[in-house]
């Protein structure tokens, strides 16, 4: 269920229902606010399961997409392809999608989902016919889309408008992670002999929600000390940790954690 | 040695083999060897316990095999076409701390290593890390109780393959050239920068923790417990690494290694060069501190 961003959802629907359909549409906004979930559901309802294809990001995905859009729709009048996290692709993969967009037939639509379109190649960015922006939700909106039962107030607070992270953040290791980061920044925790938090210790390698959640929580905790001069150095160290964790999915979270704590 | 001498004699496949134990049978050898063989058939003379090489037999197809007596370290003769050297086996029983440690490790894992402890010691070349990993493999494969040599032999690693441990050992010894050469050799067959970086990161972190514990006056037992190693391993391997690098240097190293790791994982080829620079830096510093101490 997707809530919030009412105007953005209406805008996406308006764009995708247009006749003739747009060739290339982009949804831009923070991760975990429901962009992909919403547009997947909408495209399935517009095109049908057989004429909608979410492709994996990468050059292989571009090849699949080209092959898919070059054939006629089976049930409906058009075909649609969804590409998630297009801004995280390297230049060769983005070139492949540029070719896809340029050679896309009029009856097909390519939908890109990204958190920052500024990372796209200028040539690809210029081919976007419509860009719809999405925003983080309010705490009330996050609480309302948490399903049955009372929402966990700590998890809602930690989500900071990203409902996609609620399930992960509702578990206790993440609530204590925020406190541990704060203790390290204030110098109340031992950087060498202190235990590595549970949420960091069991973090799998590779892109995953848990990794994004740890990065998000560490960033939140560090930002709360950003204006505190004596503690700014350690706060920056943890901000760098959060950024590295998200930027390099294969990096060892525990070893980087120690670096953040030691702040060399 | 006797077995090797007989094998040498058997390798000729033909002719008779005559054995003499010196010095008692020296005259009998001299008498026999001075006679030429009737039909020119080859003869092999085996002399046991000879302190020097006597006159050679007269037959041109004869072979003389001389076995030195026990305790004689050298037996040379310029006429010898082949020399076999048998090194003296070390006594493992006296003043060997490794064997009791191996047996205790086995007790901890509920296996009896009494029949394979010496083999493990000989194979490991005193590397406790290697012994420890071999013991864990043996424990995983065998049930509780005595471990048979056949089982141990089947799982022990006899290869001389290089690992980042060898590079790390060279760094800790302050042997920069050796460390760089080993680094090149490891990287020759495959890109192992990530593997080596991971080892070094963990080593530096361990060093920082150890220095910190020593500053606090922690006992060896407590330090071993915090580092997650056996107290014996801590005493024999970790403690002697104290003071090789300053606290600031270790912090700098750790930051640099983490950065290199991130660069390597994002495809930056200069990470390999950065790794070599860091290895040289650490090794040079260790070398200076080793000389000072």
């Amino acid at each position: 269920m997707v809530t919030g961003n009412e105007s953005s959802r209406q805008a996406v629907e308006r764009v995708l229902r247009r006749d003739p359909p747009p060739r290339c549409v982009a949804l831009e906004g923070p991760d975990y606010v429901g962009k992909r979930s919403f547009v997947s559901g909408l495209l399935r309802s517009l095109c049908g399961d057989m004429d909608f294809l979410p492709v994996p990001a990468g050059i292989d995905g571009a090849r699949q997409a080209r092959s898919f859009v070059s054939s006629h729709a089976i049930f409906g009048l058009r075909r649609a392809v969804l590409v998630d996290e297009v801004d995280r692709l390297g230049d060769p993969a983005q070139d492949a999608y540029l070719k896809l967009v340029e050679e896309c037939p009029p009856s097909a639509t390519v939908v890109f989902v990204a958190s920052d379109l500024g990372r796209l190649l200028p040539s690809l960015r210029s081919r976007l016919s419509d860009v719809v922006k999405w925003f983080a939700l309010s705490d009330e909106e996050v609480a309302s889309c948490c399903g049955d039962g009372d929402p966990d107030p700590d998890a809602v607070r930690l989500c900071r408008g990203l409902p996609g992270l609620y399930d992960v953040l509702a578990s206790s290791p993440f609530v204590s992670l925020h406190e541990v980061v704060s203790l390290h920044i204030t110098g109340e925790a031992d950087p060498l002999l202190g235990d590595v938090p549970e949420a960091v210790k069991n973090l799998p390698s590779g892109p995953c929600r848990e990794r994004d959640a740890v990065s998000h929580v560490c960033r939140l905790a560090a930002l709360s000390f950003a204006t505190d001069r004596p503690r700014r150095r350690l706060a920056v160290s943890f901000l760098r940790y959060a950024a590295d964790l998200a930027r390099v999915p294969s990096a060892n979270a525990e070893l980087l954690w120690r670096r953040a704590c030691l702040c060399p | 040695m006797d077995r090797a001498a007989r094998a040498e004699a058997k390798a000729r496949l033909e002719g008779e083999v005559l054995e003499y134990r010196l010095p008692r049978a020296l005259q009998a050898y001299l008498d026999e060897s001075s006679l030429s063989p009737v039909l020119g058939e080859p003869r092999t003379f085996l002399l046991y316990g000879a302190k020097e090489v006597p006159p050679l037999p007269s037959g041109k197809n004869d072979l003389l095999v001389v076995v030195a007596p026990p305790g004689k370290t050298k037996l040379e003769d310029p006429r010898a076409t082949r020399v076999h050297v048998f090194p003296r086996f070390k006594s493992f029983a006296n003043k060997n701390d490794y064997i009791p440690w191996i047996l205790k490790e086995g007790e901890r894992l509920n296996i009896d290593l009494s029949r394979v402890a010496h083999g493990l010691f000989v194979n490991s070349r005193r590397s406790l890390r290697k012994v420890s990993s071999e013991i864990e493999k043996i424990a995983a494969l065998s049930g509780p109780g005595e471990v048979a040599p056949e089982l141990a032999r089947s799982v022990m690693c006899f290869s001389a393959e290089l690992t980042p441990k060898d590079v790390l050992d060279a760094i800790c010894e302050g042997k920069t050239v050796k460390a760089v050469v080993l680094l090149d050799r490891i990287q020759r067959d495959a890109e192992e920068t990530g593997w080596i970086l991971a080892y070094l990161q963990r080593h530096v972190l361990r060093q920082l923790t150890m220095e910190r514990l020593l500053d606090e006056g922690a006992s060896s037992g407590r330090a071993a417990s915090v580092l997650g190693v056996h107290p014996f391993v801590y005493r024999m391997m970790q403690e002697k690494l104290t003071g090789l690098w300053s606290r600031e240097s270790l912090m700098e190293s750790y930051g640099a290694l983490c950065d290199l790791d991130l660069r390597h994982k994002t495809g930056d080829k200069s990470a390999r060069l950065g790794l070599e620079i860091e290895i040289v830096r650490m090794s040079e510093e260790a070398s200076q501190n080793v000389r000072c101490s």
Side-chain angles (χ1 to χ4, degrees):
Chain A
M1 184 182 74
V2 180
T3 48
N5 283 293
E6 184 67 36
S7 58
S8 304
R9 284 191 280 133
Q10 288 172 1
V12 170
E13 204 160 339
R14 211 167 36 244
V15 165
L16 290 177
R17 285 185 189 280
R18 223 162 43 203
D19 190 20
R23 196 167 283 195
C24 185
V25 177
L27 278 65
E28 182 186 17
D31 292 330
Y32 298 106
V33 293
K35 303 187 297 296
R36 188 187 59 183
S37 308
F38 174 74
V39 78
S40 295
L42 179 60
L43 287 172
R44 265 183 225 282
S45 67
L46 288 176
C47 309
D49 283 333
M50 301 297 286
D51 293 319
F52 165 62
L53 179 69
V55 296
I59 293 181
D60 287 338
R63 283 198 203 103
Q64 280 183 37
R66 281 178 69 189
S67 161
F68 183 75
V69 301
S70 61
S71 47
H72 286 296
I74 295 177
F75 290 114
L77 295 173
R78 61 176 179 168
R79 290 199 137 180
V81 164
L82 175 64
V83 184
D84 194 13
E85 295 183 336
V86 68
D87 53 332
R88 295 193 188 169
L89 299 176
D91 287 355
Q94 289 193 29
D95 276 334
Y97 281 107
L98 174 63
K99 202 165 167 54
L100 165 69
V101 168
E102 284 173 344
E103 294 173 4
C104 186
S107 61
T109 301
V110 179
V111 179
F112 290 139
V113 177
S115 56
D116 181 8
L117 289 177
R119 290 203 282 254
L120 289 189
L121 291 174
S123 47
L124 183 57
R125 208 162 57 235
S126 65
R127 299 297 194 279
L128 303 174
S129 58
D130 295 272
V131 176
V132 179
K133 289 202 183 292
W134 289 61
F135 305 94
L137 276 56
S138 64
D139 284 354
E140 292 74 26
E141 286 171 329
V142 171
S144 68
C145 63
C146 289
D148 298 329
D150 294 328
D152 182 350
D154 286 328
V156 169
R157 178 179 56 83
L158 283 179
C159 277
R160 285 292 175 95
L162 308 180
L165 288 178
Y166 176 82
D167 288 338
V168 179
L169 294 177
S171 60
S172 57
F174 286 90
V175 176
S176 62
L177 173 64
H178 191 278
E179 289 165 17
V180 170
V181 173
S182 302
L183 287 174
H184 275 287
I185 293 176
T186 54
E188 293 170 55
D190 194 316
L192 262 179
L193 302 181
D195 288 336
V196 176
E198 208 60 42
V200 173
K201 214 186 288 190
N202 300 326
L203 213 51
S205 183
C208 60
R209 272 204 315 166
E210 288 77 10
R211 210 169 170 92
D212 289 338
V214 168
S215 171
H216 173 77
V217 170
C218 289
R219 188 168 169 275
L220 273 184
L223 281 174
S224 61
F225 291 94
T227 54
D228 189 346
R229 265 189 187 273
R231 299 183 172 117
R232 192 175 289 170
R233 200 164 143 261
L234 273 166
V236 167
S237 178
F238 275 95
L239 279 176
R240 187 170 65 162
Y241 172 71
D244 287 338
L245 213 58
R247 183 174 62 92
V248 188
S250 55
N252 186 300
E254 277 189 58
L255 291 176
L256 286 181
W257 170 268
R258 283 291 178 210
R259 180 176 75 160
C261 296
L262 290 169
C263 192
Chain B
M1 284 196 296
D2 291 1
R3 202 163 51 202
R6 289 197 192 95
E8 192 72 38
K10 268 191 195 165
R12 295 193 88 197
L13 298 178
E14 58 181 25
E16 65 177 326
V17 177
L18 303 162
E19 295 188 23
Y20 302 90
R21 295 234 167 240
L22 270 53
R24 200 174 57 240
L26 177 60
Q27 192 57 46
Y29 161 73
L30 290 172
D31 293 340
E32 184 67 37
S33 64
S34 60
L35 299 171
S36 299
V38 175
L39 298 171
E41 69 273 16
R43 298 175 295 178
T44 304
F45 295 92
L46 291 181
L47 299 184
Y48 298 103
K51 289 186 183 164
E52 55 188 40
V53 179
L56 295 181
S58 55
K60 65 177 181 194
N61 293 326
D62 290 343
L63 171 69
L64 175 63
V65 180
V66 181
V67 181
K72 176 119 179 101
T73 55
K74 256 187 194 177
L75 184 63
E76 288 176 337
D77 194 287
R79 297 168 293 177
T81 53
R82 199 153 52 239
V83 177
H84 293 283
V85 178
F86 293 86
R88 198 169 61 158
F89 290 120
K90 290 180 185 150
S91 162
F92 297 133
N94 295 332
K95 294 181 186 172
N96 187 331
D97 290 332
Y98 294 87
I99 302 295
W101 177 77
I102 290 172
L103 295 173
K104 266 206 162 10
E105 275 293 289
E107 279 174 24
R108 188 176 66 82
L109 296 170
N110 202 22
I111 51 174
D112 179 6
L113 294 173
S114 50
R115 292 179 67 194
V116 301
H118 289 103
L120 282 168
F121 169 67
V122 170
N123 185 56
S124 70
R125 294 179 296 162
R126 295 173 190 262
S127 166
L128 289 179
R129 269 191 293 251
K130 189 173 176 194
V131 174
S132 178
S133 70
E134 304 285 43
I135 292 174
E136 279 175 14
K137 274 191 287 185
I138 292 171
L141 285 172
S142 74
E146 192 179 70
V147 174
E150 294 75 30
L151 173 70
R153 207 175 292 124
S154 68
V155 301
M156 269 159 54
C157 178
F158 294 100
S159 72
E161 195 181 301
L162 281 176
T163 67
K165 295 173 194 170
D166 300 295
V167 178
L168 188 56
D169 288 341
I171 293 172
C172 294
E173 289 164 10
K175 294 178 179 169
T176 310
V177 173
K178 183 178 174 186
V180 172
V181 166
L182 289 174
L183 174 70
D184 283 341
R185 277 172 63 185
I186 290 179
Q187 302 270 44
R188 201 164 49 192
D189 294 329
E191 175 62 50
E192 304 285 13
T193 304
W195 191 22
I196 300 166
L197 278 168
Y199 259 87
L200 288 178
Q201 281 174 299
R202 283 168 174 80
H203 166 74
V204 172
L205 200 54
R206 219 166 31 238
Q207 283 297 118
L208 275 168
T209 308
M210 194 173 65
E211 299 281 347
R212 163 71 181 282
L213 288 167
L214 288 174
D215 283 349
E216 287 177 357
S219 64
S220 303
R222 157 121 171 96
S225 163
V226 169
L227 293 174
V229 297
H230 193 279
F232 175 72
V233 172
Y234 176 78
R235 273 200 322 277
M236 298 298 284
M237 298 188 72
Q238 283 295 137
E239 235 174 18
K240 63 184 180 184
L241 300 180
T242 51
L244 286 182
W245 300 279
S246 65
R247 181 78 52 82
E248 293 72 27
S249 173
L250 287 170
M251 294 273 275
E252 185 190 327
S253 270
Y254 193 67
L257 290 169
C258 287
D259 283 336
L260 287 171
D261 188 49
L262 291 173
R263 277 161 56 187
H264 171 69
K265 284 174 173 144
T266 48
D268 187 346
K269 289 188 172 53
S270 69
R272 191 165 160 163
L273 178 61
L275 172 62
E276 190 169 327
I277 292 170
E278 189 58 32
I279 285 175
V280 167
R281 194 193 72 77
M282 287 177 69
S283 181
E284 287 296 312
E285 186 173 344
S287 162
Q288 282 173 10
N289 290 328
V290 162
R291 272 189 237 126
C292 289
S293 63

